Amino acid sequence: MRHSADFLQSLRWRCTWCLLALALFMAGCTRPPPEQAVRAQLQALQAAIDARDSDAVADLLAEDFIGNEGLDRRGAKRLAAGLFLRYRDVGAKLGRVEVELRGEADAVARFNLLATGGAGGLLPESGQAYRVETGWRLVDGEWRLRSASWKAAL
């Protein structure tokens, strides 16, 4: 009888550990919360700009992206490529990002941005601070930039 009780106790512990392992596995498979995912995409956009990679910039944009003065996705890629050709060093430093969720698949992110460019000297040759508002949409499980508007902050 004692052997049977030990077996049942052992079985309970095994089931408990299996359920715990399954719960941890499932938690690891979930997507990050939307706000965190939008912030990650903004970091990816900043990294693409810092790497001077206009293709990576365009990959983050929705097909129907729209920016200031009617700038579309193709125009945004060309603008990025032109800036990367003009300036050897291009930088984009984001300030504090505020993310506002608008339903399950839409979000708005607002932040200040310091854009700099130069020929590689100690100080950038040009720079401008902007106030930026971006719109994001969840497309096939990925957050894509659907709109951006910016104006000089100073």
Side-chain angles (χ1 to χ4, degrees), residues 27-42:
C29 292
T30 61
R31 294 188 191 280
E35 181 179 337
Q36 183 180 342
V38 169
R39 289 177 189 278
Q41 290 296 79
L42 277 169

Side-chain angles (χ1 to χ4, degrees), residues 62 105 137-144:
R137 178 185 312 123
L138 190 61
V139 178
D140 298 327
E142 294 281 331
W143 286 93
R144 299 284 181 217

Side-chain angles (χ1 to χ4, degrees), residues 90-117:
V90 176
K93 305 301 178 221
L94 277 64
R96 186 173 58 92
V97 177
E98 299 169 8
V99 177
E100 176 188 337
L101 298 176
R102 294 183 174 176
E104 303 257 335
D106 286 298
V108 173
R110 295 177 189 88
F111 52 91
N112 288 324
L113 170 77
L114 177 61
T116 59

